[in-house]
C-alpha cells in the first residue's frame, strides 16, 4: 500500500515520521508542493492522497487524480469548502477530514484574543514599543464583566464556554442542536436575536454551510449591542466583511478577532513582507488597533498538528482497505 501526501510542512515531518515508524507496511511518499492538476502525477501508483486546505481542489485537479487511478482524498483539516464536491461525487471520490484534532487549541486562541481585545493589548504593546509607558487612554475591560454569546456548542464552543466560565463571564449560547450538558446549565437562549440583544461579545463556532454564509451581516449587526466585540475563528465566509468594516467605522462593533477571512486562500500562510499586499481590505483590518488578525493559526499547536497528520493517514489507509473511518465526509 502507498499513500502520497501533498504540502507537507517542516513542522509536520516529525509527526509523519512517527506515523511511518508505526506503520512499516505502508509506503509513504510526500512533497512540499501543494496538490494541483500538474502535481497530481507525483501520486502515480498510490492508493490515496493526503492533502491540506490551501488551494481550491477543482474538477481539473480531481480529474488529474482520477486519471492516476486515485479516488480517495484525506484532508489534514476540517473544512471541505475548497473542494468541488459535485465533481468529487461524479468521479467517485471518497473524502475524509479531521473533524476534531484539538478543540482546545481553537477555543484557547479565541479566549486569548478576546481578552487581548478587551484589554487593548495591541494598542498598549505599540505604546510600550515606543517607550510610551503612560497608562491612559488604554484602559481595558475585564472578561468577567462581559456577557459572552457563544454561537455553536460543538466541541470547540463547549471548551470555550468552560474557559469563559473560568474567567467568571456570564455565558449565553445558541445552537439548533442543543448539547445536554449546556442545556442542563440553562445557558441556551431561544433565538440568535435574543443572543444578539444580550451579548457584549459574540464568538462564532459553526460550520460553513449554506445557512450560515454571511450570518454576520448588516441586519444581524444592527440587532447587536452598541460596542459589541466579534470573534470569528471558525470560517471566513460566516462574515460579510464589508458589513463588519462599516460597523467598525461607526463604532457599532468596538473590536474584532478574526483568524479566518473569506478570501484567505492564496493570502494566508504566505510571506508578504516587502511585497505588494494583494488585499486592500484585509490590509486595512490588520492595521486597525481594535482588530486582531491571525492567518488561520488558531489550530496551530504541536498537539493539533500531530492529530491532523495521524488521523488523516489513518483514514487514507482505511479507505485503501475498504474499511469504514469515523472521519469520512458525507456529501
Amino acid at each position: 500500500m502507498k499513500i502520497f501526501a501533498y504540502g507537507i510542512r517542516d513542522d509536520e515531518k516529525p509527526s509523519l515520521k512517527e506515523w511511518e515508524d508505526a506503520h512499516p507496511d505502508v509506503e509513504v511518499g510526500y512533497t512540499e508542493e501543494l496538490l494541483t492538476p500538474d502535481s497530481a502525477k507525483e501520486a502515480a501508483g498510490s492508493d490515496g492522497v493526503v492533502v491540506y486546505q490551501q488551494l481550491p481542489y477543482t474538477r481539473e485537479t480531481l480529474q488529474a487524480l482520477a486519471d492516476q487511478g486515485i479516488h480517495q482524498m484525506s484532508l489534514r483539516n476540517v473544512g471541505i469548502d475548497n473542494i468541488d464536491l459535485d465533481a468529487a461525487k461524479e468521479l467517485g471520490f471518497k473524502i475524509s477530514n479531521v473533524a476534531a484534532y484539538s478543540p482546545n487549541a481553537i477555543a484557547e486562541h479565541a479566549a486569548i484574543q478576546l481578552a487581548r481585545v478587551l484589554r487593548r493589548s495591541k494598542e498598549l504593546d505599540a505604546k510600550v514599543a515606543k517607550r510610551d509607558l503612560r497608562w491612559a487612554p488604554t484602559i481595558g475591560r475585564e472578561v468577567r464583566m462581559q456577557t459572552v454569546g457563544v454561537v455553536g456548542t460543538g466541541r470547540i464552543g463547549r471548551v470555550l464556554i468552560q474557559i469563559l466560565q473560568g474567567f467568571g463571564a456570564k455565558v449565553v449560547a445558541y445552537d439548533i442542536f442543543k448539547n445536554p450538558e449546556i442545556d442542563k446549565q440553562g445557558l441556551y437562549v431561544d433565538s440568535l436575536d435574543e443572543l444578539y440583544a444580550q451579548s457584549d461579545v459574540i464568538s462564532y463556532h459553526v460550520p460553513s454551510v449554506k445557512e450560515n454564509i454571511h450570518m454576520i451581516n448588516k441586519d444581524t449587526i444592527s440587532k447587536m449591542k452598541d460596542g459589541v466585540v466579534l470573534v470569528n475563528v471558525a470560517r471566513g465566509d460566516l462574515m460579510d466583511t464589508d458589513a463588519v468594516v462599516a460597523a467598525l467605522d461607526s463604532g457599532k462593533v468596538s473590536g474584532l478577532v478574526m483568524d479566518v477571512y473569506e478570501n484567505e486562500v492564496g493570502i494566508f500562510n504566505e510571506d508578504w513582507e516587502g511585497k505588494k499586499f494583494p488585499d486592500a481590505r484585509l490590509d486595512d483590518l490588520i492595521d486597525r488597533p481594535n482588530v486582531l488578525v491571525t492567518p488561520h493559526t488558531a489550530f496551530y499547536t504541536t498537539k493539533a498538528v500531530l492529530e491532523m497528520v495521524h488521523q488523516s493517514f489513518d483514514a487514507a489507509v482505511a479507505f485503501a482497505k475498504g474499511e469504514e473511518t469515523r472521519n469520512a465526509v458525507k456529501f
Side-chain angles (χ1 to χ4, degrees), residues 78-301:
V78 180
I80 60 170
D81 46 307
N82 64 318
I83 302 173
D84 185 334
L85 294 176
D86 289 335
K89 189 172 183 179
E90 288 174 27
L91 293 168
F93 268 82
K94 292 182 179 179
I95 295 174
S96 69
N97 65 353
V98 182
Y101 37 84
S102 179
N104 295 67
I106 297 168
E108 286 177 12
H109 183 85
I112 289 165
Q113 295 293 81
L114 161 59
R116 290 185 65 218
V117 165
L118 292 175
R119 295 305 294 261
R120 299 172 67 177
S121 69
K122 188 175 180 180
E123 296 170 77
L124 188 58
D125 288 347
K127 284 173 59 176
V128 172
K130 295 186 295 185
R131 305 304 186 268
D132 179 355
L133 305 184
R134 293 172 294 177
W135 300 348
T138 44
I139 191 168
R141 289 176 280 173
E142 297 178 33
V143 177
R144 70 186 178 97
M145 303 303 294
Q146 313 305 309
T147 296
V148 183
V150 176
V151 181
T153 56
R155 298 179 184 91
I156 297 168
R158 295 199 302 275
V159 173
L160 179 62
I161 287 171
Q162 292 175 345
I163 295 170
L164 292 168
Q165 290 173 329
F167 274 109
K170 177 183 177 182
V171 176
V172 294
Y174 179 81
D175 199 317
I176 58 173
F177 303 107
K178 291 186 177 181
N179 175 269
E181 295 176 11
I182 303 303
D183 199 19
K184 189 175 180 180
Q185 294 182 55
L187 301 184
Y188 284 117
V189 293
D190 293 330
S191 68
L192 280 171
D193 285 357
E194 190 176 345
L195 183 142
Y196 298 150
Q198 291 188 34
S199 301
D200 304 299
V201 178
I202 304 174
S203 191
Y204 291 82
H205 304 278
V206 295
S208 174
V209 295
K210 181 175 65 175
E211 296 79 9
N212 293 341
I213 304 301
H214 283 190
M215 68 187 300
I216 309 168
N217 57 55
K218 181 180 178 181
D219 291 339
T220 55
I221 292 171
S222 70
K223 299 174 183 179
M224 298 175 188
K225 282 187 174 183
D226 292 343
V228 67
V229 173
L230 299 178
V231 179
N232 183 14
V233 298
R235 286 287 173 261
D237 56 13
L238 302 182
M239 191 167 75
D240 178 343
T241 310
D242 288 336
V244 173
V245 168
L248 285 163
D249 288 341
S250 71
K252 177 71 176 182
V253 172
S254 68
L256 172 65
V257 172
M258 52 180 286
D259 184 59
V260 288
Y261 182 56
E262 56 186 331
N263 298 322
E264 71 181 55
V265 174
I267 299 177
F268 283 0
N269 202 25
E270 298 287 345
D271 183 2
W272 297 101
E273 186 175 5
K275 305 173 187 174
K276 180 177 173 56
F277 197 74
D279 190 307
R281 184 176 60 181
L282 180 59
D283 200 38
D284 169 66
L285 286 166
I286 290 171
D287 283 340
R288 292 182 183 236
N290 58 340
V291 176
L292 295 179
V293 176
T294 46
H296 210 137
T297 53
F299 81 94
Y300 194 48
T301 65

